[in-house]
Amino acid sequence: ANAMGMISGTIVFIVVFYHAWCLLIIPSKKAAEGNDQWKEFPWLLPKRVNWILWIIVLPTVFSVETMLANMNMWHALNGKSVDFNFLLARQEQEIKEIQVSYLCQFIAIYAFTRLVSSLLENTEILRGHQDPQQDLLAKEYKRLLRYGGFLGLWLYIIAGSLRAFVSILFA
């Protein structure tokens, strides 16, 4: 079962890298080369592409963390890490690695929240109003959507990130 987990983790890494490179990064670079303003900075991905990259990279982080845990288990089972102090030090390191993966999870949740917010804020209904009153209402709706609509997620991200940072500092 552990060997299958390692093989699956490697496949996840390859698939995510392919998707990120071939479906997001290369098309963004080609689009930048064809745009007069954007071609000055072809390495600078648009915000939405950046957020999508964070979202699809998250499974890779968890796969790598799982692979590292499996390798440590193999060391213990093969008798290569019989030193008890080494096992305690490794356990502290694993706690830090898990907390780093939690931080990556919170970054991915942040990216997903910003992506959904961006898509909702840029609907056709909210853009291009000739009436100043309608334009003011559209701006108010965007502000409420960004800050109030996702308030629970913002609190979850902040509290979880702080907990992960504290756990890393004191592990």
Side-chain angles (χ1 to χ4, degrees):
N2 280 338
M4 290 303 294
M6 299 298 272
I7 292 169
S8 298
T10 305
I11 292 171
V12 166
F13 184 80
I14 292 168
V15 168
V16 168
F17 183 78
Y18 172 79
H19 277 98
W21 190 259
C22 295
L23 301 177
L24 293 172
I25 295 173
I26 297 297
S28 295
K29 184 177 182 259
K30 288 180 181 175
E33 291 169 352
N35 187 313
D36 292 335
Q37 292 177 339
W38 194 13
K39 71 180 173 185
E40 299 291 326
F41 308 101
W43 49 266
L44 183 63
L45 295 174
K47 285 182 183 178
R48 286 185 183 173
V49 173
N50 220 355
W51 295 332
I52 291 171
L53 281 173
W54 270 107
I55 292 167
I56 69 169
V57 164
L58 183 64
T60 306
V61 171
F62 286 120
S63 294
V64 168
E65 291 296 326
T66 303
M67 291 167 70
L68 286 172
N70 281 337
M71 286 190 293
N72 291 329
M73 187 183 313
W74 286 352
H75 281 299
L77 291 175
N78 291 333
K80 293 184 179 181
S81 59
V82 294
D83 184 15
F84 186 70
N85 291 329
F86 172 77
L87 291 175
L88 286 177
R90 187 62 201 146
Q91 184 180 14
E92 290 176 5
Q93 182 63 30
E94 287 176 6
I95 291 171
K96 289 180 182 179
E97 290 171 358
I98 289 171
Q99 296 304 321
V100 169
S101 67
Y102 285 159
L103 282 176
C104 290
Q105 175 186 358
F106 293 124
I107 292 170
I109 293 170
Y110 168 79
F112 181 75
T113 305
R114 293 291 297 139
L115 181 66
V116 170
S117 174
S118 172
L119 293 173
L120 291 174
E121 290 173 3
N122 292 316
T123 59
E124 195 64 35
I125 295 171
L126 299 177
R127 295 188 299 157
H129 294 289
Q130 301 298 332
D131 182 19
Q133 182 68 21
Q134 289 291 330
D135 191 47
L136 185 64
L137 286 172
K139 287 179 182 176
E140 180 69 13
Y141 175 76
K142 287 180 184 181
R143 187 182 66 78
L144 285 173
L145 185 65
R146 176 176 288 166
Y147 299 119
F150 296 107
L151 186 60
L153 279 174
W154 297 130
L155 291 174
Y156 176 72
I157 292 167
I158 291 169
S161 298
L162 286 174
R163 186 188 67 76
F165 276 123
V166 169
S167 295
I168 289 171
L169 289 175
F170 293 111

